[in-house]
Amino acid sequence: MAHKMKVALVGIGKIAVDQHVPAIDASPDWDLACTVSRKGHVDEVQAFAGIDEMLAARPDVGVVSLALPPVPRFAYAEAALKAGRHVMLEKPPGATLAEIHALQALAADRGLTLYATWHSRMAHAVAAAKAWLHGKVVSRAHITWREDVRKWHPGQDWVFEPGGMGVFDPGINALSILTEILPAPVHLQSAELEFPANRQTPIAARLVFSGGVTADFDWRQEGPQTWDIAVETPEGRLDLRMGGNVLEIDGRPAGGANTIMGEYPALYARMAALVRAGESEVDLAPMVHVADALTLGRRVVVEAFEF
Ligand code: NAP
């Protein structure tokens, strides 16, 4: 087996603790060498408060994984690439498209790996859904992505600040699956965005794309949570449920597993393969749809929101 590579994990918050640390610990490819976080740390792992300090002190750490929110992430990614480190980005890959283009140019110029991850694409049934749709014509598709922001992002005010993307923070996961499985690309035609009166980003969005594709995102869903994508073709109907983890064809079970475990181990395995091959992977299609919705969307002001 190839030797383990050293990775620095940056932004020790919710997703770092829930998913990144367990995935790295269980990986045959990675050794968690150190962390960078202003307040957070991981037990028994060297902790730095700033990225420049870490880059100077640990030239032996070749890879930096950024689990920060999108707005502060660029400065950290740029510093890591300029210091000659490969970089792995949480989703969404940045606050703006131009920012990510700049990182792509920097990585390409220096021969470094840049991996913009989309964890939902690693859900159990996504590859099977893509294979089933291959070569078919889509007559209609609908995304229903309704969850409770208070349950999944308790107190995380950054999601409602400029660049936090609001309901598109989960919605972009649905769009990452959609853009992976559809046999032909679609583009946004119109959108209606609901902004709480006291917030900068939408709490709900309804999107209309070309090709009969529509989406309904809502962050106010209490009780059962819904992460479904339904796709109709002349040859039958596909339903992806549970965030891409369960597949049904014509209403009958056709694969997947009713669990969300496994996405982050798959992302770290992919990063290891990219670094070893000297390649990058940056697909901005999901983020283009979000940027288009924020460009084209009609604004509707709704009730103020507090956590
Ligand atoms: P979070 O817990 O609110 O933030 C992660 C860490 O980033 C914080 O603990 C903080 O660490 C650091 N940070 C926050 N704001 C910063 C700033 N302005 N400057 C420097 N550091 C800052 O967020 P999260 O839920 O883990 O989400 C992080 C990313 O992962 C997002 O892009 C999100 O979309 C993605 N993600 C989240 C989930 C989820 O379920 N939460 C799931 C999948 C993906 P320090 O204060 O210690 O520096």
Side-chain angles (χ1 to χ4, degrees):
M1 190 207 298
H3 71 285
K4 286 195 177 193
M5 294 178 279
K6 292 177 189 168
V7 58
L9 183 59
V10 181
I12 306 302
K14 187 169 190 307
I15 198 63
V17 170
D18 288 357
Q19 297 290 345
H20 288 255
V21 173
I24 294 168
D25 282 350
S27 169
D29 298 308
W30 298 105
D31 170 24
L32 181 56
C34 57
T35 61
V36 178
S37 209
R38 297 164 310 177
K39 297 189 286 266
H41 74 280
V42 174
D43 285 347
E44 293 168 36
V45 176
Q46 185 181 20
F48 294 92
I51 184 80
D52 293 334
E53 189 190 336
M54 184 280 286
L55 293 168
R58 295 296 306 262
D60 58 312
V61 176
V63 176
V64 176
S65 176
L66 299 176
L68 300 157
V71 168
R73 201 180 305 129
F74 176 78
Y76 288 76
E78 184 184 41
L81 290 168
K82 283 187 169 167
R85 317 304 164 89
H86 307 289
V87 168
M88 178 166 164
L89 302 169
E90 249 300 350
K91 53 60 58 170
T96 69
L97 289 163
E99 241 180 50
I100 310 157
H101 292 313
L103 295 179
Q104 281 182 284
L106 203 50
D109 191 46
R110 284 157 206 248
L112 296 165
T113 294
L114 181 67
Y115 179 26
T117 66
W118 297 109
H119 67 85
S120 291
R121 286 186 175 174
M122 298 300 192
H124 294 293
V126 172
K130 180 177 183 165
W132 191 82
L133 285 169
H134 180 75
K136 293 191 172 68
V137 172
V138 169
S139 7
R140 281 200 314 182
H142 185 67
I143 301 173
T144 310
W145 223 252
R146 291 175 154 259
E147 61 173 60
D148 183 352
V149 65
R150 292 189 175 93
K151 177 174 163 75
W152 301 104
H153 296 274
Q156 290 182 342
D157 280 309
W158 64 262
V159 298
F160 288 114
E161 290 297 318
M165 295 188 195
V167 76
F168 290 109
D169 179 82
I172 204 168
N173 297 333
L175 296 173
S176 76
I177 297 175
L178 183 83
T179 48
E180 176 72 9
I181 66 173
L182 282 187
V186 295
H187 61 271
L188 190 90
Q189 291 180 325
S190 68
E192 201 170 69
L193 311 176
E194 294 189 356
F195 287 77
N198 60 338
R199 300 286 184 170
Q200 298 292 327
T201 62
I203 197 163
R206 289 173 292 279
L207 312 179
V208 177
F209 295 90
S210 58
V213 178
T214 50
D216 170 19
F217 300 158
D218 203 313
W219 236 352
R220 298 163 299 194
Q221 175 85 14
E222 293 174 6
Q225 310 280 288
T226 308
W227 299 285
D228 289 352
I229 301 178
V231 185
E232 291 176 31
T233 78
E235 287 111 311
R237 176 187 165 111
L238 174 150
D239 284 283
L240 260 179
R241 303 192 190 283
M242 296 289 298
N245 282 293
V246 170
L247 180 64
E248 292 171 9
I249 302 296
D250 294 327
R252 285 184 293 278
N258 198 353
T259 153
I260 59 164
M261 289 310 289
E263 294 177 9
Y264 281 78
L267 294 180
Y268 276 95
R270 180 78 187 129
M271 182 63 179
L274 288 170
V275 170
R276 290 187 177 123
E279 290 170 5
S280 286
E281 185 177 303
V282 179
D283 176 10
L284 296 179
M287 184 134 163
V288 167
H289 291 320
V290 172
D292 282 0
L294 293 169
T295 305
L296 200 55
R298 180 175 296 277
R299 177 188 177 95
V300 179
V301 177
V302 296
E303 191 185 348
F305 177 87
E306 300 296 347
F307 278 103

